[in-house]
Amino acid sequence: MNISAQPYVILVRPQLAENMGMVARAMMNCGLENLRLVSPKEDYLSPKALSASSGADEILQKAKVYTGLSEAIADLQYLYATTARPRNQIKEVYTAESAMPGLNQHLNGGNACGILFGPERTGLENDEVSVADAIIEIPLNPKHCSLNLSQAVLLVGYEWYKTQIQAVPHRLVTNATQLANKEQLLNFLSFLESELSDFKNLQDKEKRPTLLRNIHNIFTRSQLTEQDLNTLYGIIKYLHRK
Amino acid sequence: MNISAQPYVILVRPQLAENMGMVARAMMNCGLENLRLVSPKEDYLSPKALSASSGADEILQKAKVYTGLSEAIADLQYLYATTARPRNQIKEVYTAESAMPGLNQHLNGGNACGILFGPERTGLENDEVSVADAIIEIPLNPKHCSLNLSQAVLLVGYEWYKTQIQAVPHRLVTNATQLANKEQLLNFLSFLESELSDFKNLQDKEKRPTLLRNIHNIFTRSQLTEQDLNTLYGIIKYLHRK
């Protein structure tokens, strides 16, 4: 991952060392490495902060501290402000997800980008929001949308991280074995049918076709592997012998 | 939101009361209300848990406690297991996002669904994973994918919540005012041009067309509202008078 093409996470007046540590942890979860702190109220390198970072202390060590927001954003070209409530400012408002194409467009175009997160209790001040190019509002239950600072960073970072990796489609984990092919499956179903030759319900000519289809469906739905088929052959043979 | 059509969040042997509280908070952020606890190690209604829930104590109060996993999932029809690392079991593996269409399909079809989260330190045991129909792996930085329990619940809950609300496309927040229409904008640009009649660079016939286009672009890009135009008229008139 190209670190220079990452957004800066900028905590404005964060209050608690523990939260700064948890933010570092959340950033590392999402492959984000660039942290800026604007006049933090507690020591971001205190034991509390380092312990809360849960192994992401490298991000805290590298963090840059600024006395004011202007200095912290001076070298950035595009800036987002995260807000929990509407601010009634004439500005684009994105969800965490919908912000990502634009953010990546700026990053890929070589623009340095930052994302502002306000203090735990109050969030960003309106004047601070007004220097941002756009707003990110995380869509959450309006009846309970207060998020821990690190969780806000996590959700935005997570949406960004998802754009950086190849989408992982759902897949079947198969190690030593693989999905049986249809010939193997149909052979098994024929075997099962022959083993059931004395089974009463199959002797009823009306019920027989439906019952066979149901049996086929049961074993087709389970997406059997070659190994599973061997297991089932064994079970059926054992039961029959009994 | 239809609560019966929500997945159950099932914490298997959660260790810390504080984490159970934070899970309740994360659930409430995402509109999830049904919490099940399998032999929790600490009291999920302790002051620590309630305080960490940050107002979501209603979810803790309603939580149901079970002594074993079998009892906790007995009435469910479809079950996901969340894991941080691959488990080498023959089972569908989804990302938090890609799991949602299937989950919602089951929920909408009237199936009761659950999502298992393992203990803080160790995660779910392989035998516990094997009773689930599918696995959810949250895509995170492989170098640092350890997540706090509540953050795992938050990310899965957040992906689910996003499917429950209308996608919020980016929009311009305009309150008392609206975006100027093109006539208003072009009138303003003509006005500006006339006010600049003595401006040297505009008198150079070669430079003039480019310069005018640049000026047009500057003010087109800022997506001015009617109110912004009034502000700019005032500024230009003031500067001219000076």
Side-chain angles (χ1 to χ4, degrees):
Chain A
M1 211 176 284
N2 180 358
I3 295 174
S4 70
Q6 289 191 352
Y8 290 83
V9 170
I10 304 168
L11 305 185
V12 180
R13 290 172 280 113
Q15 297 171 301
L16 301 176
E18 194 182 0
N19 285 339
M20 296 180 236
M22 286 168 67
V23 163
R25 178 184 186 178
M27 286 175 62
M28 199 150 180
N29 282 148
C30 305
L32 292 170
E33 307 198 10
N34 302 320
L35 177 61
R36 292 183 173 186
L37 302 166
V38 179
S39 53
K41 299 295 167 224
E42 289 188 3
D43 180 8
Y44 67 103
L45 291 173
S46 69
K48 246 190 187 170
L50 293 171
S51 150
S53 81
S54 194
D57 39 295
E58 173 190 333
I59 289 175
L60 292 172
Q61 306 282 3
K62 283 195 317 181
K64 291 197 178 145
V65 181
Y66 300 83
T67 51
L69 179 58
S70 315
E71 294 80 47
I73 63 173
D75 59 338
L76 303 182
Q77 281 135 333
Y78 202 82
L79 193 63
Y80 293 88
T82 56
T83 66
R85 52 199 161 84
R87 296 307 183 95
N88 301 335
Q89 297 192 30
I90 311 295
K91 208 179 282 293
E92 303 287 342
V93 179
Y94 294 93
T95 62
E97 185 179 11
S98 69
M100 293 306 139
L103 169 59
N104 283 325
Q105 210 173 6
H106 277 288
L107 290 170
N108 296 337
N111 287 336
C113 299
I115 308 173
L116 300 179
F117 295 85
E120 288 89 335
R121 270 172 206 280
T122 54
L124 293 166
E125 288 176 7
N126 282 328
D127 286 346
E128 293 164 339
V129 172
S130 77
V131 301
D133 296 280
I135 287 175
I136 294 178
E137 255 181 57
I138 301 168
L140 288 171
N141 182 1
K143 286 178 198 154
H144 190 84
C145 60
S146 103
L147 265 187
N148 179 287
L149 177 57
S150 69
Q151 294 186 318
V153 172
L154 178 71
L155 289 179
V156 174
Y158 166 74
E159 288 289 4
W160 182 78
Y161 185 72
K162 283 202 294 178
T163 68
Q164 300 301 301
I165 53 171
Q166 295 212 306
V168 184
H170 63 282
R171 62 185 193 275
L172 211 62
V173 175
T174 55
N175 281 333
T177 181
Q178 56 180 342
L179 277 184
N181 66 31
K182 296 307 177 191
E183 184 185 20
Q184 293 168 319
L185 183 64
L186 294 173
N187 284 345
F188 167 75
L189 291 170
S190 303
F191 166 75
L192 179 60
E193 198 180 319
S194 67
E195 293 289 296
L196 295 176
S197 54
D198 296 338
F199 187 43
K200 259 191 196 165
N201 291 352
L202 273 180
Q203 290 168 338
D204 180 329
K205 275 191 182 168
E206 285 206 8
K207 285 183 182 165
R208 185 182 166 88
T210 309
L211 185 56
L212 280 178
R213 270 200 302 276
N214 286 349
I215 292 172
H216 287 196
N217 275 326
I218 287 169
F219 290 102
T220 302
R221 275 203 307 268
S222 20
Q223 299 194 29
L224 299 166
T225 65
E226 295 174 350
Q227 191 181 290
D228 294 335
L229 284 183
N230 288 336
T231 306
L232 289 173
Y233 275 116
I235 288 175
I236 291 163
K237 283 171 189 165
Y238 168 80
L239 290 173
H240 206 157
R241 241 178 287 142
K242 243 183 148 183
Chain B
M1 215 175 281
N2 181 358
I3 294 174
S4 70
Q6 288 192 352
Y8 289 84
V9 171
I10 305 168
L11 305 185
V12 180
R13 290 172 280 111
Q15 298 170 300
L16 302 175
E18 193 182 1
N19 284 339
M20 297 181 236
M22 285 167 68
V23 163
R25 179 184 186 178
M27 286 175 62
M28 199 149 182
N29 282 148
C30 304
L32 292 170
E33 308 198 8
N34 302 321
L35 177 61
R36 292 183 172 185
L37 302 166
V38 179
S39 54
K41 300 295 166 225
E42 289 188 1
D43 181 7
Y44 67 102
L45 291 173
S46 68
K48 244 189 188 171
L50 293 171
S51 150
S53 82
S54 195
D57 40 296
E58 174 190 334
I59 290 175
L60 292 172
Q61 306 280 1
K62 285 196 314 179
K64 290 195 179 147
V65 180
Y66 302 82
T67 50
L69 180 58
S70 316
E71 295 79 47
I73 63 173
D75 60 337
L76 303 183
Q77 283 136 330
Y78 202 83
L79 193 62
Y80 293 89
T82 55
T83 66
R85 53 200 160 83
R87 295 307 183 97
N88 301 334
Q89 297 192 30
I90 312 294
K91 208 178 283 290
E92 303 285 345
V93 180
Y94 295 92
T95 62
E97 184 178 10
S98 69
M100 294 305 138
L103 169 61
N104 284 324
Q105 211 173 6
H106 277 288
L107 290 170
N108 295 338
N111 287 337
C113 299
I115 307 173
L116 300 179
F117 295 86
E120 288 88 335
R121 269 172 207 280
T122 54
L124 293 167
E125 288 176 8
N126 282 327
D127 286 347
E128 292 164 340
V129 172
S130 77
V131 301
D133 297 280
I135 287 174
I136 294 178
E137 256 181 57
I138 301 168
L140 288 171
N141 182 1
K143 287 180 201 153
H144 190 85
C145 61
S146 103
L147 266 187
N148 179 287
L149 178 58
S150 69
Q151 293 186 317
V153 172
L154 178 71
L155 289 179
V156 174
Y158 165 74
E159 287 291 2
W160 182 77
Y161 185 73
K162 283 202 293 179
T163 68
Q164 300 301 300
I165 53 171
Q166 296 212 307
V168 183
H170 63 282
R171 62 186 193 276
L172 210 62
V173 174
T174 54
N175 281 333
T177 181
Q178 54 181 343
L179 277 184
N181 66 30
K182 295 307 178 192
E183 183 184 18
Q184 292 168 320
L185 183 64
L186 294 173
N187 284 345
F188 166 74
L189 291 170
S190 302
F191 167 75
L192 179 60
E193 198 181 319
S194 67
E195 292 290 297
L196 295 175
S197 54
D198 296 337
F199 186 43
K200 259 192 197 165
N201 291 352
L202 273 181
Q203 288 168 341
D204 179 328
K205 275 188 182 173
E206 284 206 9
K207 286 184 182 167
R208 185 182 166 89
T210 309
L211 185 55
L212 279 178
R213 271 199 301 277
N214 286 349
I215 293 171
H216 286 196
N217 275 325
I218 288 169
F219 290 101
T220 302
R221 276 200 309 269
S222 24
Q223 299 193 29
L224 299 166
T225 64
E226 295 174 351
Q227 192 182 290
D228 293 335
L229 284 183
N230 289 336
T231 306
L232 289 173
Y233 275 115
I235 289 174
I236 290 163
K237 282 173 188 163
Y238 168 78
L239 289 174
H240 206 156
R241 240 180 287 139
K242 243 185 148 183

